[in-house]
Structure formats: C-alpha cells, structure tokens
Amino acid sequence: MMRLTSEQQEIYDGKKGETYAKIMETLVRYGELFGAEEMVEVTGKYGHLVTSFGLQVINPVYKLMDELIGAGVISKQQFTMDPRPLDRNVPSNVIQDLVFYKFMYSEQKRYEKQLSKLGLKSKDSFSCACYFDEQGNRPKKGDILSWAESSAVVYANSVLGARCNRNSGIIELFGSILGCVPKFGLLTDEGRKATWKVEVKTTKLPPAQVLGSAIGMKVMEDVPYVYGLSDFLGKELTPEVCDYLKNFGAATASNGAVGLYHIDKLTPEAVELGESLIADNARTYVIDDAEIQRVIDSYPIIWKNKDAKPKMCFIGCPHLSKSELIGWIHDIYEGVKESGKKTTTIPTVLTAAPGVLDAIRGSKEESMAEEIHLTLSYICPLMYCDNPLVHSVPIITNSNKLRTYTSCRFYEDKKILQMITGRGRM
C-alpha cells in the first residue's frame, strides 16, 4: 500500500466525502501500477488537461464532470486545456459543418461550462502550448506538474526543467483537484536519466520535426541525451531555439513516446548535471544526413491518390509561437506577391494560441494575412483532420505530429512554402 500523509489518508478514508475518496483511490491505484510508494505535492501554479473536445461519444466524461460538480469539487489549482476542436473561420463545407457541430462535437458548449465550474483558468485557456507567455501557464524549473498533453509535457520537462509524467485521461484533472500526484518515472532523479546517447553528425541543422521523429521512433518512451545539436543551436535558450525545441519535442513525443530529452550544453539539467544524467549501459544512436533522409523517405503516403493536388494546408501543430506566426505570415505574403498571385494557391490555416492571436490583433501582419486570405485560427488541427469526412481530403502539413495521427502528408517548411505560394514551382 502506498504511504500517504495524514491529510491524504483522511481523504482516502472518506472524511472529505465519497467523491474525494474515489479521486484519491484512483490516484493511489494508478501510482501503484507504476511502483509509486508515495504522493508528491503539485507545486506548479496551473494544471493542464488534454481532453478539450466535446465529443458526443465520451458521455461518461460528462457524467463524471457532473458528479464532481454536484459534490462541490473544485480543483485546488486552476488549469488550462488543449485547443478547441471547432472554429467557423476554418474552411469547411456544409456537410462537415453539420457533422462537426451537430454530431461529433455537439457537447462542446456543455463541456466547457463544466470545465469552467471545475477550475478552467479563463475562457481562452485553450492551447497545446500553454507555456507561452501569452497563455500564462509557464512552470518554473523544479515545479511538479499534473499535465497530460504530450508536446507540453516534453517541453516542460526538457526546456523548462519542470517535472511531470505523461498522465492519461482524467488523471491530470484528479492531480490538480487534490494537489498531489504519485511519485514515479519522470518525477524521480533516476527516472530522468538518459538511457540513449544520440549523436547528431549532420552537416547542417536538421529539420526539427524530422530529427524529433527519428529520435522518437528509435528510443520510444526512453530518455535521450543528444550530442551535437548545440553546435548548431548554440548554448542559450533564445526564443528561436525554444521554437525549434518545441517542434522537435512534439515529434519525439508523437512519433515515439518521449516525455523528456536532454540536449548537451543547452537544456537546463544538461547544463547543470552534464553526462552524469546518462545511465550506465546507455545505447547509442548516430544521426547523419543519410539517416535524416531515410526517415523522411520512410513516411507513408496514405492519400487514395498519391498524385492528388492538395486541397488544404495546416501549419502550427503544436501551436505557433508569436515569432513563428509572424515569420510564416511574412514568408507566405512575400512568396505570394513574388509569384504574382493575390492569394495562396492552397487554402492555408496557421494555428496559434488565443493569446498569441490576440497579440497580433490589429497589426500589419494580421492585415497581410487577410489580404492573401490566410486563415489564422486557435483550432486543434488534429481534431479537425482526424475524422472520416476529412481523411479523404488531401491535406499537407509541416507537422510530424499531425502526419502521425491523421492522413495529412508531411513536407518540410521550404517545400510547404513553395507549394502554398507557387513561388519557384517545380
């Protein structure tokens, strides 16, 4: 039986009511499955929940929420959410709108009301990149978190030096409600040691999405310690470097199941502890130019017609930072103008956090996007694309995460820009 503090034991024994007791028992059982011997206090200011979509088929979740609300349960810490699945600004047809709003995500409004009662940080707290300054959920080094979103967890662990396991389902909500989580895995010093040494020996900086994909598919859920990347990125976590690591980490987490990586001479724990983070008998994986190309060539094309003309493009999975959003708008705008066109050749959606979109409201970049008919949205591209109605639509993306979970076809940034602007078309 897991060791509990006197306060935790009282909750477990039902002194705060049956509902709190069930929540504690769930966390205890969950922790014991992974060998946890005790709970640890959640010290991060906010939680983060992954289930942000009001799918009709997850009715048990809404029943659970009603039970929690009915019992007067309020989360000890407020929480942010993954992106919303719906945005009427995103191109869609009548049938898609009917299915999305009347059937698939018909419980969205009800669900968001439930979340607000339980502790949602704000009505705009919906982004997979909750750690952006504009979203206000940026943990500090050493903070213990109760989070679930894979790309957010790997960023918090690796780039920010916080501590969090990749919790599942409703577990992260329960951790926020009680203010404690089982101590195992990436919450422990031993669990944060690297069991893989990855040597990057490429002639130039590898594409973040491809390098992350290669490492994720190789190490799976293990922790890699990466050499050579700081030769290209430097030894400072600048905003541009953080953007690179955001996209790199998202690919390691989706193409594999990485929850933490260390970059030699760059990420906080690697700077502080160096090679002492590497476990005995760690395996080695060498990545050179040929390996990068092999990985790209291995991606399956699952369009019915492999030669189909793309009908749509999504950029921003995970959500774009402010600098990324502005950069893409300028690059696309200039490409469209240079090609002598008035709009993009393919309907293109740039997705970013609500706070990031607010930050460029009224700016010249917003006007540029409107002029060439770029769609700026807070939507979750994965939720838009992962359904039978869209599977048959040839959609392109620069996101390895979106490629992995949907029928979208992956291209590197340079090729994406060429395809959506018509500039230098081959």
Side-chain angles (χ1 to χ4, degrees):
M1 187 69 177
M2 187 184 295
R3 296 191 304 272
L4 302 177
T5 65
S6 57
E7 180 183 0
Q8 292 164 358
Q9 189 66 52
E10 287 180 356
I11 295 173
Y12 187 91
D13 292 338
K15 293 186 178 179
K16 284 195 67 174
E18 181 183 5
T19 302
Y20 277 100
K22 287 180 180 178
I23 295 171
M24 180 61 78
E25 183 180 358
T26 301
L27 287 183
V28 168
R29 290 190 181 190
Y30 178 72
E32 288 178 343
L33 287 173
F34 294 95
E37 297 180 352
E38 62 181 343
M39 294 286 188
V40 61
E41 180 186 358
V42 173
T43 57
K45 188 174 182 180
Y46 300 109
H48 184 78
L49 278 61
V50 70
T51 311
S52 58
F53 39 88
L55 279 170
Q56 193 177 61
V57 297
I58 58 172
N59 195 52
V61 171
Y62 313 131
K63 289 182 178 179
L64 171 62
M65 295 295 184
D66 282 338
E67 182 180 343
L68 295 174
I69 294 166
V73 172
I74 298 177
S75 178
K76 261 192 174 183
Q77 56 171 193
Q78 291 182 305
F79 50 82
T80 53
M81 301 288 299
D82 261 17
R84 289 184 169 104
L86 300 170
D87 181 1
R88 291 194 180 276
N89 292 322
V90 174
S92 59
N93 57 43
V94 174
I95 296 176
Q96 288 173 337
D97 285 344
L98 178 65
V99 172
F100 287 168
Y101 288 90
K102 298 297 182 182
F103 296 98
M104 282 189 67
Y105 302 115
S106 60
E107 300 296 327
Q108 189 68 28
K109 290 183 179 179
R110 172 192 176 191
Y111 185 42
E112 290 189 23
K113 287 181 181 178
Q114 291 177 322
L115 294 170
S116 294
K117 292 179 181 178
L118 285 172
L120 182 65
K121 182 174 177 287
S122 77
K123 64 180 180 62
D124 290 326
S125 293
F126 289 86
S127 174
C128 51
C130 59
Y131 44 81
F132 286 159
D133 290 340
E134 294 87 354
Q135 289 303 108
N137 187 2
R138 186 180 181 87
K140 302 186 298 295
K141 185 175 183 293
D143 274 348
I144 304 297
L145 312 178
S146 185
W147 286 16
E149 157 61 36
S150 62
S151 67
V153 166
V154 73
Y155 189 93
N157 275 316
S158 310
V159 181
L160 302 180
R163 295 197 170 196
C164 182
N165 284 313
R166 281 181 54 158
N167 295 322
S168 58
I170 299 296
I171 291 296
E172 78 278 17
L173 173 60
F174 287 177
S176 290
I177 288 172
L178 294 182
C180 62
V181 287
K183 185 179 181 181
F184 67 91
L186 298 177
L187 300 187
T188 68
D189 291 342
E190 189 63 28
R192 297 178 74 83
K193 286 194 172 182
T195 53
W196 281 89
K197 292 185 289 186
V198 178
E199 299 177 5
V200 177
K201 295 185 176 181
T202 54
T203 56
K204 60 182 180 180
L205 177 66
Q209 297 273 1
V210 180
L211 180 63
S213 171
I215 293 174
M217 288 190 289
K218 188 72 171 181
V219 310
M220 296 308 290
E221 77 279 5
D222 290 345
V223 177
Y225 190 100
V226 184
Y227 292 95
L229 198 51
S230 55
D231 293 341
F232 299 108
L233 297 177
K235 300 177 184 179
E236 183 181 353
L237 290 172
T238 65
E240 292 75 21
V241 169
C242 288
D243 287 341
Y244 182 96
L245 295 179
K246 166 180 70 78
N247 297 320
F248 163 79
T252 68
S254 57
N255 288 202
V258 174
L260 164 68
Y261 58 80
H262 302 293
I263 308 296
D264 187 50
K265 300 182 179 66
L266 182 59
T267 52
E269 287 171 270
V271 170
E272 181 182 346
L273 301 171
E275 293 180 335
S276 66
L277 288 168
I278 302 174
D280 295 337
N281 302 317
R283 289 174 283 181
T284 299
Y285 175 37
V286 177
I287 300 178
D288 56 15
D289 293 338
E291 178 66 356
I292 290 292
Q293 190 60 50
R294 183 196 68 79
V295 170
I296 294 173
D297 293 341
S298 73
Y299 297 150
I301 302 170
I302 58 177
W303 291 356
K304 288 184 178 180
N305 177 8
K306 294 184 179 181
D307 298 319
K309 180 181 178 182
K311 297 290 181 66
M312 198 171 181
C313 175
F314 272 108
I315 298 172
C317 180
H319 274 167
L320 299 171
S321 69
K322 182 180 176 182
S323 61
E324 285 180 306
L325 179 61
I326 290 174
W328 272 107
I329 291 173
H330 278 271
D331 287 345
I332 296 170
Y333 184 89
E334 291 167 9
V336 167
K337 294 302 180 181
E338 286 179 15
S339 66
K341 301 182 183 300
K342 293 183 178 181
T343 67
T344 57
T345 59
I346 303 167
T348 299
V349 183
L350 304 183
T351 59
V356 170
L357 295 176
D358 285 343
I360 71 160
R361 201 80 65 197
S363 66
K364 67 176 182 180
E365 284 79 20
E366 185 179 47
S367 298
M368 292 163 64
E370 290 176 355
E371 182 182 339
I372 60 173
H373 296 179
L374 271 179
T375 298
L376 308 183
S377 176
Y378 52 74
I379 202 173
C380 173
L382 200 158
M383 290 297 103
Y384 179 95
C385 296
D386 189 21
N387 69 82
L389 284 178
V390 181
H391 285 170
S392 60
V393 180
I395 299 175
I396 60 173
T397 184
N398 68 334
S399 166
N400 233 312
K401 180 173 184 176
L402 192 57
R403 174 201 68 81
T404 301
Y405 293 133
T406 70
S407 60
C408 295
R409 187 169 178 175
F410 174 83
Y411 290 99
E412 294 179 57
D413 290 356
K414 185 176 180 180
K415 181 63 175 178
I416 285 279
L417 186 61
Q418 178 191 75
M419 295 173 75
I420 63 180
T421 64
R423 183 174 62 183
R425 179 176 291 180
M426 299 175 64

